[in-house]
Coordinates of all heavy atoms in Angstrom, one line a residue:
M11 N 0.8 -1.2 0.0 CA 0.0 0.0 0.0 C 0.9 1.2 0.0 O 1.9 1.3 0.7 CB -0.9 0.0 1.2 CG -2.0 1.0 1.1 SD -3.0 1.0 2.6 CE -2.1 2.0 3.7
S12 N 0.5 2.2 -0.8 CA 1.2 3.4 -0.9 C 0.4 4.6 -0.5 O -0.8 4.6 -0.7 CB 1.7 3.6 -2.3 OG 2.3 4.8 -2.5
Q13 N 1.0 5.6 0.2 CA 0.2 6.7 0.6 C 1.0 8.0 0.3 O 2.2 8.0 0.1 CB 0.0 6.6 2.1 CG 1.2 6.4 3.0 CD 0.9 6.2 4.4 OE1 1.5 5.4 5.1 NE2 -0.1 6.9 4.9
T14 N 0.2 9.1 0.2 CA 0.8 10.4 -0.1 C 0.4 11.3 1.1 O -0.7 11.3 1.5 CB 0.3 11.0 -1.4 OG1 0.6 10.0 -2.4 CG2 1.0 12.3 -1.7
I15 N 1.4 12.0 1.6 CA 1.1 13.0 2.6 C 1.5 14.4 2.2 O 2.6 14.5 1.5 CB 2.0 12.6 3.9 CG1 1.6 11.3 4.4 CG2 1.8 13.7 5.0 CD1 2.5 10.7 5.4
E16 N 0.7 15.3 2.4 CA 1.0 16.7 2.1 C 1.4 17.5 3.3 O 0.7 17.4 4.3 CB -0.2 17.4 1.4 CG -0.5 16.7 0.1 CD -0.9 17.6 -1.0 OE1 -0.9 18.8 -0.8 OE2 -1.3 17.1 -2.1
L17 N 2.5 18.2 3.3 CA 3.0 19.0 4.4 C 3.0 20.4 4.1 O 3.3 20.8 3.0 CB 4.4 18.5 4.8 CG 4.6 17.0 5.1 CD1 6.1 16.8 5.3 CD2 3.8 16.6 6.3
A18 N 2.8 21.2 5.1 CA 3.1 22.7 5.0 C 4.4 22.9 5.8 O 4.5 22.4 6.9 CB 1.9 23.5 5.6
I19 N 5.3 23.6 5.2 CA 6.6 23.8 5.8 C 6.9 25.3 6.0 O 6.6 26.0 5.1 CB 7.7 23.1 5.0 CG1 7.4 21.7 4.8 CG2 9.1 23.3 5.6 CD1 8.4 21.0 3.8
T20 N 7.4 25.6 7.2 CA 7.8 27.0 7.4 C 9.3 27.1 7.6 O 9.9 26.1 8.1 CB 7.1 27.7 8.6 OG1 7.4 26.9 9.7 CG2 5.6 27.7 8.4
G21 N 9.9 28.2 7.2 CA 11.4 28.4 7.4 C 12.2 28.2 6.2 O 13.4 28.5 6.3
M22 N 11.7 27.8 5.1 CA 12.5 27.6 3.9 C 12.7 28.9 3.2 O 11.7 29.6 2.9 CB 11.8 26.6 2.9 CG 11.7 25.2 3.4 SD 11.3 24.1 2.0 CE 9.7 24.6 1.6
T23 N 13.9 29.3 2.9 CA 14.1 30.5 2.2 C 15.0 30.4 0.9 O 15.0 31.3 0.1 CB 14.8 31.6 3.1 OG1 16.0 31.0 3.6 CG2 13.9 32.1 4.1
C24 N 15.7 29.3 0.7 CA 16.4 29.1 -0.5 C 16.5 27.6 -0.9 O 16.0 26.8 -0.2 CB 17.8 29.7 -0.4 SG 19.0 28.6 0.5
D25 N 17.1 27.4 -2.0 CA 17.1 26.1 -2.6 C 17.9 25.1 -1.8 O 17.7 23.9 -1.9 CB 17.8 26.2 -4.0 CG 16.9 25.5 -5.0 OD1 15.7 25.5 -4.9 OD2 17.5 24.9 -5.9
H26 N 18.9 25.6 -1.0 CA 19.6 24.7 -0.1 C 18.7 24.1 1.0 O 18.8 23.0 1.4 CB 20.8 25.4 0.5 CG 21.8 25.7 -0.5 ND1 22.1 27.0 -0.9 CD2 22.7 24.9 -1.3 CE1 23.0 27.0 -1.9 NE2 23.4 25.7 -2.1
C27 N 17.8 25.0 1.4 CA 16.8 24.5 2.4 C 16.0 23.4 1.8 O 15.7 22.4 2.4 CB 15.8 25.6 2.7 SG 16.5 27.2 3.4
V28 N 15.6 23.6 0.6 CA 14.8 22.6 -0.1 C 15.5 21.2 -0.2 O 15.0 20.2 0.1 CB 14.4 23.0 -1.6 CG1 13.8 21.9 -2.4 CG2 13.5 24.2 -1.5
R29 N 16.8 21.3 -0.5 CA 17.6 20.1 -0.6 C 17.8 19.4 0.7 O 17.8 18.2 0.8 CB 19.0 20.4 -1.3 CG 19.4 19.3 -2.1 CD 20.6 19.7 -3.1 NE 20.3 21.1 -3.6 CZ 21.3 21.9 -4.1 NH1 22.6 21.5 -3.9 NH2 21.0 23.0 -4.6
A30 N 18.0 20.3 1.8 CA 18.2 19.7 3.1 C 17.0 18.9 3.6 O 17.1 17.8 4.1 CB 18.6 20.8 4.1
I31 N 15.9 19.5 3.3 CA 14.6 18.9 3.7 C 14.3 17.6 2.9 O 14.0 16.6 3.4 CB 13.4 19.8 3.6 CG1 13.6 20.9 4.7 CG2 12.1 19.1 3.8 CD1 12.6 22.0 4.6
T32 N 14.6 17.8 1.6 CA 14.4 16.6 0.7 C 15.2 15.4 1.1 O 14.7 14.3 1.3 CB 14.7 17.0 -0.8 OG1 13.9 18.1 -1.2 CG2 14.4 15.8 -1.7
N33 N 16.5 15.7 1.4 CA 17.4 14.6 1.8 C 16.9 14.0 3.1 O 16.9 12.8 3.3 CB 18.8 15.1 1.9 CG 19.4 15.4 0.6 OD1 18.9 14.8 -0.5 ND2 20.4 16.2 0.5
A34 N 16.6 14.8 4.1 CA 16.2 14.4 5.4 C 14.9 13.5 5.3 O 14.9 12.4 6.0 CB 16.0 15.5 6.4
V35 N 14.0 14.0 4.5 CA 12.7 13.2 4.4 C 12.9 11.9 3.7 O 12.4 10.8 4.1 CB 11.6 14.1 3.8 CG1 10.4 13.2 3.5 CG2 11.3 15.3 4.6
Q36 N 13.8 11.9 2.7 CA 14.0 10.7 1.9 C 14.7 9.6 2.7 O 14.6 8.4 2.4 CB 14.8 11.0 0.6 CG 13.9 11.5 -0.5 CD 14.6 11.9 -1.7 OE1 15.8 12.2 -1.7 NE2 13.9 12.0 -2.8
D37 N 15.4 10.1 3.8 CA 16.1 9.1 4.7 C 15.1 8.4 5.7 O 15.5 7.5 6.3 CB 17.2 9.8 5.4 CG 18.4 10.0 4.6 OD1 18.5 9.4 3.5 OD2 19.3 10.7 5.0
V38 N 13.9 8.9 5.8 CA 13.0 8.3 6.7 C 12.5 7.0 6.2 O 12.2 6.9 5.0 CB 11.8 9.3 7.0 CG1 10.8 8.6 7.9 CG2 12.3 10.6 7.7
E39 N 12.4 6.0 7.0 CA 12.0 4.7 6.7 C 10.7 4.7 5.9 O 9.7 5.3 6.4 CB 11.9 3.9 8.0 CG 11.9 2.4 7.8 CD 11.7 1.7 9.2 OE1 12.1 2.3 10.2 OE2 11.1 0.7 9.2
G40 N 10.6 4.0 4.8 CA 9.3 3.8 4.1 C 9.1 4.9 3.1 O 8.2 4.7 2.2
V41 N 9.8 6.0 3.1 CA 9.6 7.1 2.1 C 10.2 6.7 0.8 O 11.4 6.3 0.7 CB 10.2 8.4 2.6 CG1 10.1 9.4 1.5 CG2 9.5 8.8 3.9
T42 N 9.4 6.8 -0.3 CA 10.0 6.5 -1.6 C 10.2 7.7 -2.5 O 10.9 7.7 -3.4 CB 9.0 5.5 -2.4 OG1 7.7 6.1 -2.4 CG2 8.9 4.2 -1.7
S43 N 9.5 8.8 -2.1 CA 9.6 10.0 -2.9 C 9.3 11.2 -2.0 O 8.3 11.2 -1.2 CB 8.7 9.9 -4.1 OG 8.4 11.2 -4.6
A44 N 10.1 12.3 -2.2 CA 9.8 13.5 -1.4 C 10.0 14.7 -2.4 O 11.0 14.9 -3.0 CB 10.8 13.7 -0.3
K45 N 8.9 15.4 -2.6 CA 9.0 16.6 -3.5 C 8.7 17.8 -2.6 O 7.6 18.1 -2.2 CB 7.9 16.5 -4.6 CG 8.3 15.3 -5.6 CD 7.5 15.5 -6.9 CE 8.0 14.5 -7.9 NZ 7.6 13.1 -7.6
V46 N 9.7 18.6 -2.5 CA 9.6 19.8 -1.7 C 9.6 21.1 -2.6 O 10.4 21.2 -3.5 CB 10.8 19.9 -0.7 CG1 10.7 21.1 0.2 CG2 10.9 18.6 0.1
D47 N 8.6 21.9 -2.3 CA 8.4 23.1 -3.2 C 8.6 24.4 -2.4 O 7.8 24.7 -1.4 CB 7.1 23.0 -3.8 CG 6.9 24.2 -4.8 OD1 7.7 24.2 -5.8 OD2 6.0 25.0 -4.6
L48 N 9.6 25.2 -2.8 CA 9.9 26.4 -2.0 C 8.8 27.4 -2.2 O 8.4 28.1 -1.2 CB 11.2 26.9 -2.6 CG 11.8 28.2 -2.0 CD1 12.0 28.1 -0.5 CD2 13.1 28.6 -2.7
A49 N 8.3 27.6 -3.4 CA 7.3 28.7 -3.7 C 6.1 28.5 -2.9 O 5.5 29.5 -2.4 CB 7.0 28.7 -5.2
S50 N 5.6 27.3 -2.7 CA 4.4 27.1 -2.0 C 4.6 26.6 -0.6 O 3.6 26.3 0.1 CB 3.5 26.0 -2.8 OG 4.2 24.8 -2.9
N51 N 5.8 26.6 -0.1 CA 6.1 26.1 1.3 C 5.5 24.8 1.6 O 4.8 24.7 2.6 CB 5.7 27.2 2.3 CG 6.6 28.4 2.2 OD1 7.9 28.3 2.4 ND2 6.1 29.6 1.9
S52 N 5.6 23.9 0.7 CA 4.9 22.6 0.9 C 5.8 21.5 0.4 O 6.8 21.6 -0.2 CB 3.6 22.6 0.2 OG 3.8 22.6 -1.2
A53 N 5.3 20.3 0.8 CA 6.0 19.1 0.3 C 5.0 18.0 0.1 O 3.9 17.9 0.8 CB 7.0 18.6 1.4
K54 N 5.3 17.1 -0.8 CA 4.5 15.9 -1.1 C 5.4 14.7 -0.8 O 6.4 14.6 -1.5 CB 3.9 16.0 -2.5 CG 2.5 15.4 -2.7 CD 2.1 15.6 -4.1 CE 0.9 16.5 -4.1 NZ 0.3 16.6 -5.5
V55 N 5.0 13.9 0.1 CA 5.8 12.7 0.4 C 5.0 11.5 0.1 O 3.9 11.3 0.5 CB 6.2 12.8 1.9 CG1 7.1 11.6 2.3 CG2 6.8 14.1 2.3
E56 N 5.7 10.6 -0.6 CA 5.1 9.3 -0.9 C 5.9 8.1 -0.3 O 7.1 8.2 -0.2 CB 5.0 9.1 -2.4 CG 4.1 10.0 -3.1 CD 4.1 9.8 -4.6 OE1 4.7 8.8 -5.1 OE2 3.4 10.6 -5.3
G57 N 5.1 7.1 0.0 CA 5.8 5.9 0.6 C 4.9 4.9 1.0 O 3.7 5.0 0.9
S58 N 5.4 3.8 1.5 CA 4.6 2.8 2.1 C 4.8 2.8 3.6 O 5.9 2.9 4.1 CB 5.1 1.4 1.5 OG 6.4 1.2 1.8
V59 N 3.7 2.6 4.3 CA 3.7 2.6 5.8 C 4.6 3.8 6.4 O 5.5 3.6 7.1 CB 4.3 1.3 6.4 CG1 3.3 0.8 7.5 CG2 4.4 0.2 5.4
I60 N 4.2 5.0 6.0 CA 5.0 6.1 6.4 C 4.6 6.5 7.9 O 3.4 6.5 8.2 CB 4.7 7.4 5.6 CG1 5.0 7.1 4.1 CG2 5.6 8.5 6.0 CD1 4.7 8.2 3.2
D61 N 5.6 6.8 8.7 CA 5.3 7.3 10.0 C 5.4 8.8 9.9 O 6.5 9.4 9.9 CB 6.4 6.7 11.0 CG 6.1 7.2 12.4 OD1 5.4 8.2 12.6 OD2 6.7 6.5 13.3
V62 N 4.3 9.5 9.9 CA 4.2 10.9 9.8 C 5.0 11.6 10.8 O 5.8 12.6 10.5 CB 2.8 11.4 9.8 CG1 2.7 12.9 9.7 CG2 1.9 10.8 8.7
Q63 N 5.0 11.1 12.0 CA 5.7 11.8 13.1 C 7.2 11.8 12.8 O 7.9 12.8 13.1 CB 5.4 11.0 14.4 CG 5.6 11.9 15.7 CD 4.9 13.2 15.6 OE1 3.8 13.3 15.2 NE2 5.6 14.3 15.9
K64 N 7.7 10.7 12.3 CA 9.1 10.6 12.0 C 9.5 11.6 10.9 O 10.6 12.2 10.9 CB 9.5 9.2 11.5 CG 9.8 8.2 12.6 CD 10.3 6.9 12.1 CE 10.4 5.9 13.2 NZ 10.6 4.5 12.7
I65 N 8.6 11.8 10.0 CA 8.9 12.8 8.9 C 9.0 14.2 9.5 O 9.9 15.0 9.2 CB 7.9 12.7 7.8 CG1 8.0 11.4 7.1 CG2 8.0 13.9 6.9 CD1 6.9 11.1 6.1
L66 N 8.0 14.5 10.4 CA 8.0 15.9 11.0 C 9.2 16.1 11.8 O 9.8 17.2 11.8 CB 6.7 16.1 11.8 CG 5.4 15.9 11.1 CD1 4.2 16.2 12.0 CD2 5.3 16.9 9.9
E67 N 9.6 15.1 12.5 CA 10.8 15.2 13.4 C 12.1 15.4 12.5 O 13.0 16.1 12.9 CB 11.0 13.9 14.2 CG 10.1 13.9 15.5 CD 10.0 12.5 16.2 OE1 10.9 11.7 15.9 OE2 9.1 12.3 17.0
A68 N 12.2 14.6 11.4 CA 13.3 14.8 10.5 C 13.4 16.2 10.0 O 14.5 16.8 9.9 CB 13.2 13.8 9.4
I69 N 12.3 16.8 9.7 CA 12.3 18.2 9.2 C 12.7 19.1 10.3 O 13.5 20.1 10.1 CB 10.9 18.5 8.6 CG1 10.7 17.7 7.4 CG2 10.8 20.0 8.3 CD1 9.3 17.8 6.8
E70 N 12.2 18.9 11.5 CA 12.5 19.7 12.7 C 14.0 19.7 13.0 O 14.6 20.6 13.4 CB 11.7 19.4 13.9 CG 10.3 20.2 13.8 CD 9.2 19.5 14.6 OE1 9.5 18.8 15.6 OE2 8.1 19.7 14.2
E71 N 14.6 18.5 12.9 CA 16.0 18.3 13.1 C 16.9 19.1 12.2 O 18.0 19.5 12.5 CB 16.4 16.8 13.0 CG 16.2 16.1 14.3 CD 16.3 14.5 14.1 OE1 17.0 14.1 13.2 OE2 15.7 13.8 14.9
E72 N 16.3 19.4 11.0 CA 17.1 20.2 10.0 C 16.9 21.7 10.3 O 17.5 22.6 9.7 CB 16.6 20.0 8.6 CG 16.9 18.5 8.1 CD 18.4 18.2 8.1 OE1 19.2 19.1 7.7 OE2 18.8 17.1 8.4
G73 N 16.0 22.0 11.3 CA 15.8 23.4 11.7 C 14.6 24.1 11.1 O 14.4 25.3 11.1
Y74 N 13.7 23.3 10.5 CA 12.4 23.8 9.9 C 11.2 23.3 10.7 O 11.4 22.4 11.6 CB 12.3 23.4 8.4 CG 13.6 23.8 7.7 CD1 14.6 22.9 7.5 CD2 13.8 25.1 7.2 CE1 15.8 23.2 6.9 CE2 14.9 25.4 6.6 CZ 15.9 24.5 6.4 OH 17.1 24.8 5.8
S75 N 10.1 23.8 10.4 CA 8.9 23.3 11.0 C 7.9 22.9 10.0 O 7.7 23.5 8.9 CB 8.3 24.5 11.9 OG 7.1 24.1 12.4
A76 N 7.2 21.8 10.3 CA 6.2 21.2 9.3 C 5.0 20.7 10.0 O 5.0 20.2 11.1 CB 6.9 20.1 8.5
T77 N 3.9 20.8 9.3 CA 2.6 20.3 9.8 C 2.0 19.5 8.6 O 2.2 19.8 7.4 CB 1.6 21.3 10.3 OG1 1.5 22.3 9.3 CG2 2.1 22.0 11.5
V78 N 1.1 18.6 8.9 CA 0.4 17.9 7.9 C -0.8 18.8 7.5 O -1.4 19.4 8.3 CB -0.2 16.5 8.4 CG1 -1.0 15.8 7.4 CG2 1.0 15.7 8.9
R79 N -1.1 18.8 6.2 CA -2.2 19.6 5.8 C -3.2 18.9 5.0 O -3.0 17.7 4.7 CB -1.8 20.9 5.1 CG -1.1 20.6 3.8 CD -0.9 21.9 3.1 NE -0.6 21.7 1.7 CZ -0.2 22.7 0.9 NH1 -0.1 23.9 1.3 NH2 0.0 22.5 -0.4
Ligands
LIG110 MO1 19.7 29.0 2.2 MO2 18.1 27.7 4.1 O1 21.4 29.9 2.3 O2 18.1 27.5 6.0 S1 19.9 27.0 3.3 S2 18.4 29.9 3.7

């Protein structure tokens, strides 16, 4: 089973932020795809059996804040 989660992210100001978050989220267990968009301050994460809390924590560890939307 595959699921898609949409996140609202705050704190991104440049492309390096996007890359840091993309890498952090892709390292979370179960995640198969992470698309982070700077202009809309959002991300679309796909995967199987995703632990949303782990994704939010991974983003926070990079210094940003995220919520599910
Ligand atoms: Mo760009 Mo983002 O220089 O925290 S990496 S602002």
